Amino acid sequence: MPTLIKKGQGDDFAFADDAFTAVADDQDIPQGDVIISLARFQTDGDRLLSEGRQIGVRIEPAEEVEALAYDLPRLAVVALAFPKHRDGRAFSSATLLRKRLGFAGEVRAVGDVFLEQAGHMVRCGFDAFEAAPGVTPDQWAHVVHRHRHVYQRAVDARPPAFVEREE
Amino acid sequence: MYQYDAIDKDVLADRAAEFREQVDRRLKGEITEDQFKQLRLMNGLYLQLHAYMLRIAIPYGSLNSTQMRKLAEIGRTYDKGYGHFTTRTNLQFHWIKLKDAPEILDHLASVDMHAIQTSGNCIRNVTADPYAGATADELDDPRVWSEAIRQWSSLHPEFSFLPRKFKIAITASAKDRTAAKAHDIGLMIRRARDGQLGFEVIVGGGMGRTPFIGPTVREFLPANRLFSYLEAILRVYNRHGRRDNIYKARIKILVSALGREEFARQVEEEWAKIGPAGDLPDTEIARIRGAFAPKAFDVLVNRSEKYEAALATDPAFARFARNNLKPHKRAGYTIVEVSLKGIGDTPGDATSEQMEVVADLAERYGQDDIRVTHEQNLVLPHVRLDDAHTVYLALAKAGLGTPNINLITDIIACPGLDYCALANARAIPIAQDIAKRFADQDRAELIGELKIKISGCINACGHHHVGHVGILGVDKKGEEFYQLTLGGSGAEDASIGKILGPALPADKVTDAIDTLVEVYLRERHDGERFLDTFRRTGDAPFKEAVYADAH
Amino acid sequence: MRALTGNRLTDGEAVFWKAGAWVERFADAELFAAEDAAETAEGHAKAQQTIVVDPYLIDLVESEGLWAPVSYRERLRALGPTNHPMHGKQAEGGAAIEALRHAHGAARSTGRVNLIKRK
């Protein structure tokens, strides 16, 4: 069972209880809050939401977050999958969810969630991480805060170098 | 040149510290080789046949004497006293130990250098015109935009895990010295009729297994909209580029699959959504531009008596001047090309002593400015004609006076199977053998411009697809064989070479080159380069001559 | 006949398996005549993640009474680059190096066993 690390309000990181059950397409949907695939959400989403549950949708790299555009206000979590840590599509998906689609819920990294990519993930708007076993929130925070400066605008509020220079 | 401020220096220090931790975790077994490989590659560290190889970024091929001396020192301390300048205008050390790599990065950071993103599936070192700031025919200084891209692309949170590597070239001259059309993005600086500065944007060129000359996706992009447009291209690529097959993952395959129009449409659609929020403020471009402000050139007359006298009395210098000196935009100055293609030497290699000689000359006579070309040579871009002879004599003394720029012995070669874990065949010995065959300078000059480019495998680091004569090493039942391609060009008249015929064994390659040259000399019309003759005649006479024995 | 090789993690040096340890000279490498012995050694080697990177078996051929790697690539790893005869393992010279330099019968240039399976 992976451990969930969550980002707090002030760039702090802590273990968090995970209220959600990740449900594969061939599993029955249990009681409580669940994270389901996009396909399943498109067939069963309305019914599950009407039962008063919190719902999360898992987006695979090849799936477009735009498909959720109209449903985002109803979703608690969007889980972006890293089948391999080298597959960087989720960085674009997270960026679009936050910047373009204005999603304010939890953006969770799931799959091959690699500590060394923590900084990029946070900059792109991820705020929950199913990190590999053994990875601690302290390690996560350390990697995120390694770089004192950034060169680009991203989803986070960090001022890029060209803004810092004007101050 | 660009001066790093406190922020730029902090970034390098933090990156070096980060890598030190990553190496430490690997050595302790906390991360696997598979995980570590991605991390080390993003700092240019490869595991090759004999040792680790560290590829150090020389951003847009530009460095000063302090930096060059540091490279010499690293070569002497951590390698075997030499380094290899590459077709990506970087420098590779071939005998590096993993445990030394963090220390080397600290050394580099101390002179504002790094190995950031010299490998990995991220945005690589930008290629720019090595004559930037010195050539008369440029519309703007491409280094300004190159440095802005260097910063924007460094540790980019969204675009560091792309489907495949990503290379950008910028040129501002009618003469393309960057192979822009063979890059993932080629930016050609243009000026609109109303004087507005902008870029022609070429996307989807490339070499490798499936070579393409990139198509133009936008005729004119206003310069101040560059970064939002780059973001749009990269986002379309990051989302839709293929990830199922490493050989089909470059953006050229996406552009070719979608077609130029559809790709351009998708980029424009994304670009419209990003809007100017994705652009750099003009003030930042102006800040960077300030760092590249024109040098304080002396006001000189065009004719240097000292230079003319040297030409008249030193025939070796006259030959060097004919081939290695290029016109400068300022009267009384010249651009000096320093050939790293000594006859029989390894193309692109320079010893630590040679690096120091070039550094000293740059400092004393060249406004402290050194460039690396994608053809694996060095350039002193601002030398007074008065000093040209002195500079030549010092270069020649250090074995750097070979007067062969753009000639048949100015051969590009990748490290090949002598070093590289990916190679199928050696490239260096082939280059050495050809150079020795054409060592006669009179004959080489008679032949004129002829660009031979050699790759030891289909990844094409030796740019063979765009060689006037390209040579590709292949493995034929365990033996090294070489396939010839003719008619390629990486310049403004870019084209992909055409395979001449069956691959040749190693010991037949130089003879074949000789035969090609003989056919060219027989067939050429006045003023034609090898490439022009080939384009006029087609491959028939060449093919017939090279494969005559086989008939 | 086969040998087991890889690159040492700390410095990248090409190394060869010899009775549970790694040696730098090809001439000192353990030669495996039996398939299962070679594969057992490979299994042990692969477990040594902090010592050696990516170990693999290579095929050898006999050349004038000596065993040499079949592939050109592996011969270069055992010798060093041909453009710098004094760089790499070949620098120490001697009969074993000379024999390897002149060994004939090179075949496949990768010479890796189970290349496809490994990936």
Side-chain angles (χ1 to χ4, degrees), chain B residues 391-442:
Chain B
V391 168
Y392 163 71
L393 291 175
L395 288 171
K397 198 174 155 201
L400 293 168
T402 315
N404 63 348
I405 297 300
N406 291 333
L407 299 181
I408 190 167
T409 52
D410 183 8
I411 301 169
I412 288 184
C414 71
L417 190 58
D418 280 306
Y419 298 90
C420 179
L422 300 173
N424 287 323
R426 288 174 297 163
I428 294 166
I430 301 294
Q432 291 172 316
D433 202 47
I434 295 170
K436 284 179 195 157
R437 178 74 62 95
F438 293 94
D440 177 352
Q441 282 293 338
D442 288 331

Side-chain angles (χ1 to χ4, degrees), chain C residues 33-100:
Chain C
E35 185 85 359
D36 51 347
E39 279 168 13
T40 305
E42 189 187 17
H44 289 305
K46 280 187 188 299
Q48 299 187 356
Q49 280 224 11
T50 56
I51 297 172
V52 74
V53 179
D54 215 10
Y56 56 95
L57 290 165
I58 56 171
D59 283 324
L60 311 179
V61 286
E62 199 176 357
S63 171
E64 293 167 17
L66 284 168
W67 290 94
V70 168
S71 81
Y72 209 82
R73 177 186 197 273
E74 292 306 325
R75 290 185 187 180
L76 286 171
R77 283 183 73 247
L79 288 167
T82 57
N83 65 321
H84 282 294
M86 292 311 288
H87 287 175
K89 299 178 191 300
Q90 60 194 339
E92 73 168 11
I97 293 292
E98 278 313 305
L100 197 50

